[in-house]
Amino acid sequence: MAVRTPDPDQPDEPDEPRGTPAPGWLTDIELEQIRHRLPLLYVEAVPARVDGMGVVTEVGVLLRATATGQMTRTLVSGRVMYGETLRDALFRHLEKDLGPMAFPLLPASPTPFTIAEYFPMPGLSPFSDERQHAVSLAYVVPVTGTCEPRQDALELTWMPPEEAQSEAVAAEMEGGRGTLLRMALASVGRLN
């Protein structure tokens, strides 16, 4: 159930050939080699709508199609580039998946609510990714603007916490992200 998050392939210099990765990115071949040798660092975000008291009233879940055409639900996520701060990576992926008008409110302290470890072999943790061993720092991030999914996201569905923690939603989510969503809700006091 690999979800492809494409790397930017626009060169910085006009005389560089197309397909040259942007600084901090790996070529597809380098990435494939690295994925079989080292864990990769990711950030993941649960977009949230909050009321005036800061209580989470809704969370956003993305709808994506896999390479085989299967529809799955997932969260905002992506790799951290070499030399990039966690705050910058989190903001970049929120904008990439939700659009530039989402207006995320990044936390004052970039402390995740949990650290999820994804393994290519199922059963070592609640989280799996057949492509790689990855470590992901997970955040709940309030958004105040209009969200228009971009990149490989087809739709963003807002749902109340009671619905988001249901077995039906968890069954639609890939790689154990239903568990991660429940952990996010627990971290903000919204898990029933």
Side-chain angles (χ1 to χ4, degrees):
M1 85 183 81
V3 175
R4 172 86 168 106
T5 302
D7 291 336
D9 65 355
Q10 292 296 328
D12 283 346
E13 302 297 325
D15 57 341
E16 289 184 45
R18 183 163 173 73
T20 302
W25 287 105
L26 303 168
T27 66
D28 286 343
I29 293 169
E30 290 170 331
L31 179 59
E32 188 63 30
Q33 291 171 344
I34 295 295
R35 279 185 164 150
H36 293 287
R37 301 179 96 186
L38 298 169
L40 294 175
L41 180 61
Y42 280 72
V43 289
E44 291 188 276
V46 177
R49 298 281 191 204
V50 297
D51 65 15
M53 296 295 290
V55 175
V56 172
T57 58
E58 294 180 306
V59 292
V61 180
L62 296 168
L63 179 67
R64 289 195 169 125
T66 66
T68 60
Q70 179 185 6
M71 302 304 274
T72 62
R73 299 250 179 222
T74 192
L75 304 173
V76 171
S77 68
R79 286 191 307 277
V80 178
M81 290 193 313
Y82 179 80
E84 182 178 41
T85 67
L86 294 175
R87 181 179 302 286
D88 288 342
L90 193 54
F91 186 82
R92 180 171 54 83
H93 288 294
L94 284 159
E95 185 176 80
K96 173 187 66 89
D97 284 348
L98 303 180
M101 302 305 288
F103 301 128
L105 300 173
L106 296 182
S109 171
T111 304
F113 69 83
T114 196
I115 299 170
E117 194 169 13
Y118 291 84
F119 289 96
M121 301 79 64
L124 294 177
S125 89
F127 312 106
S128 64
D129 184 334
E130 65 190 25
R131 303 168 301 163
Q132 65 194 342
H133 177 188
V135 176
S136 180
L137 307 176
Y139 302 85
V140 175
V141 179
V143 294
T144 59
T146 304
C147 298
E148 295 184 19
R150 303 174 356 160
Q151 297 287 329
D152 56 350
L154 303 173
E155 165 186 295
L156 176 70
T157 304
W158 290 103
M159 52 185 74
E162 299 76 24
E163 181 183 347
Q165 62 190 282
S166 72
E167 287 298 324
V169 171
E172 294 178 351
M173 299 192 82
E174 58 189 4
R177 285 187 175 86
T179 299
L180 192 62
L181 182 56
R182 286 188 188 118
M183 292 170 76
L185 292 169
S187 77
V188 294
R190 294 302 311 230
L191 186 66
N192 293 340

